[in-house]
């Protein structure tokens, strides 16, 4: 799998920051900074050779947009999707939440194109609108999938907040090995979890599980039985002393002190966490997409 360029990921974050700054400091659903963000992502993908759709929906009296990008080729009956929400809250520019996931999957998609990757699976990437208002874009997408098309989606990888300034290294707990939360994900989620863990093991970074608690866009996918996984570096939760021993950083402080605040700018990113997660995304996409079915 390729080493994703941190500089390129950060260049996308700078663009998203500029879009927010030019549009009242936010990229929230219904604000012009959201559509500008969607057009930025779509323009990059179109230029790289993806087949893209700007899928619109209405929520709260405003039009929202998902950007859906298909990489030509692969088995149309065996689709791997990778997604991130592109909207921010109204309070700020949303650079860690979720410019970080959006920019990381964008750069991964662009690297697929640079390498002319032709994996066994069909690759589809998605940038969701209105996650912050209740997973509205991803829910709209799943609700409007014809049953036959839904059945072709064999896995969904989600990345929401992957550059937190006081980071943890969390992987969605597909097998419920920690025994907490709402239980395991759909069959196949455990294998996704192991693949992501394998990457972090290879770079010597310990991980911990995080529950499928319904707080991000994997929710609508697991609700219809699609295996899912992904990473997360923490939001408003407080880093424990045990976690600070494991990962460094500051115990007793939130993983992201600027969560949902105006200070969630390009300054609110831990480059090491962003770099490791971007590389983990590429590892997961490359490994899973070239694997034999059913994962
Ligand atoms: N989805 C939450 C938000 O956007 C953040 C979050 C991501 C929380 C992943 C838990 C797990 O605000
Ligand atoms: Zn959020
Ligand atoms: Zn988020
Ligand atoms: Zn687990």
């Amino acid at each position: 799998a390729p080493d994703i360029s941190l500089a390129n990921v950060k260049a996308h974050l700078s663009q998203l920051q500029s879009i927010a700054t030019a549009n009242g400091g936010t990229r929230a659903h219904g604000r012009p900074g959201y559509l500008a963000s969607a057009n930025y992502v779509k323009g990059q993908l179109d230029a790289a050779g993806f087949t893209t759709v700007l899928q619109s929906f209405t929520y709260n009296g405003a039009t929202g947009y998902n950007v859906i990008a298909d990489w030509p080729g692969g088995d149309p009956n065996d689709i791997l999707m990778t997604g991130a929400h592109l909207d921010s809250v109204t309070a700020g520019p949303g650079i860690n939440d979720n410019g970080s996931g959006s920019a990381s999957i964008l750069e991964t998609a662009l690297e697929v194109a640079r390498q002319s990757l032709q994996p066994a699976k069909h690759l589809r990437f998605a940038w969701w609108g209105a996650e912050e208002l209740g997973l509205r874009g991803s829910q709209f997408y799943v609700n409007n999938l014809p049953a036959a098309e839904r059945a072709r989606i064999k896995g969904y990888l989600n990345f929401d907040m992957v550059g937190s300034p006081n980071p943890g290294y969390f992987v969605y707990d597909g097998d419920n090995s920690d025994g907490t939360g709402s239980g395991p994900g759909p069959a196949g989620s455990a294998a996704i979890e192991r693949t992501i863990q394998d990457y972090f093991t290879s770079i010597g970074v310990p991980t911990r599980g995080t529950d499928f608690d319904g707080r991000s866009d994997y929710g609508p996918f697991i609700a219809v039985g699609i295996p899912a996984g992904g990473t997360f570096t923490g939001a408003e939760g407080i880093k424990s002393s045990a976690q600070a021993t494991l990962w460094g950083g500051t115990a007793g402080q939130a993983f992201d002190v600027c969560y949902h605040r105006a200070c969630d700018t390009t300054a609110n990113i831990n480059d090491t966490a962003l770099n490791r997660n971007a590389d983990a995304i590429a590892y997961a996409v490359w490994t899973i997409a070239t694997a034999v079915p059913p994962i």
Side-chain angles (χ1 to χ4, degrees):
D3 183 351
I4 296 298
S5 162
L6 176 63
N8 289 0
V9 175
K10 292 188 75 176
H12 300 310
L13 290 181
S14 293
Q15 292 296 316
L16 295 175
Q17 176 71 64
S18 296
I19 287 167
T21 300
N23 289 283
T26 181
R27 303 183 303 100
H29 173 71
R31 302 297 193 90
Y34 184 75
L35 182 55
S37 299
N39 283 330
Y40 171 72
V41 168
K42 185 177 186 301
Q44 295 276 314
L45 294 159
D46 286 339
F50 281 82
T51 301
T52 66
V53 174
L54 192 61
Q55 179 186 49
S56 51
F57 58 92
T58 302
Y59 184 71
N60 248 354
T63 304
Y65 304 90
N66 296 325
V67 179
I68 310 294
D70 283 90
W71 181 240
D75 183 349
N77 294 311
D78 187 7
I79 301 173
L80 175 65
M81 282 193 74
T82 303
H85 77 84
L86 184 57
D87 63 312
S88 71
V89 293
T90 53
I95 298 303
N96 185 37
D97 183 16
N98 184 31
S100 63
S102 293
S104 296
I105 73 165
L106 175 57
E107 191 55 27
T108 300
L110 297 177
E111 188 61 24
V112 166
R114 286 184 203 107
Q115 297 201 7
S116 303
L117 190 70
Q118 286 303 325
K121 290 183 193 294
H122 177 79
L123 295 178
R124 181 175 296 159
F125 293 86
W127 289 260
W128 308 117
E131 185 270 357
E132 298 290 4
L133 302 178
L135 320 180
R136 303 297 166 179
S138 54
Q139 188 70 64
F140 180 87
Y141 176 81
V142 171
N143 285 166
N144 287 281
L145 275 174
E149 179 67 4
R150 179 198 285 182
R152 297 183 182 110
I153 301 174
K154 306 302 186 189
Y156 173 70
L157 305 177
N158 189 72
F159 300 95
D160 185 358
M161 305 183 73
V162 295
S164 300
N166 185 30
Y169 293 89
F170 297 103
V171 179
Y172 293 119
D173 187 17
D175 57 4
N176 197 33
S177 59
D178 72 2
T180 69
S182 45
S189 303
I192 295 172
E193 179 185 8
R194 281 195 299 273
T195 299
I196 295 171
Q197 285 169 338
D198 284 347
Y199 178 73
F200 284 99
T201 299
S202 78
I203 61 168
V205 174
T207 63
R208 291 293 182 266
T210 187
D211 294 327
F212 282 124
D213 59 7
R215 284 184 66 188
S216 193
D217 298 294
Y218 56 78
F221 288 85
I222 65 175
V224 298
I226 296 171
T231 64
F232 172 55
T233 55
E236 78 283 9
I238 305 297
K239 184 178 275 188
S240 68
S241 47
Q243 289 169 330
T245 300
L246 196 62
W247 294 318
T250 309
Q253 195 178 96
F255 295 104
D256 182 355
V257 287
C258 288
Y259 176 65
H260 286 183
R261 297 173 63 197
C263 58
D264 185 11
T265 65
T266 49
N268 190 45
I269 289 288
N270 181 292
D271 284 358
T272 300
L274 184 64
N275 186 40
R276 289 170 172 173
N277 277 278
D279 291 343
I281 293 166
Y283 179 86
V285 169
W286 258 251
T287 303
I288 296 169
T290 54
V292 290
I295 294 157

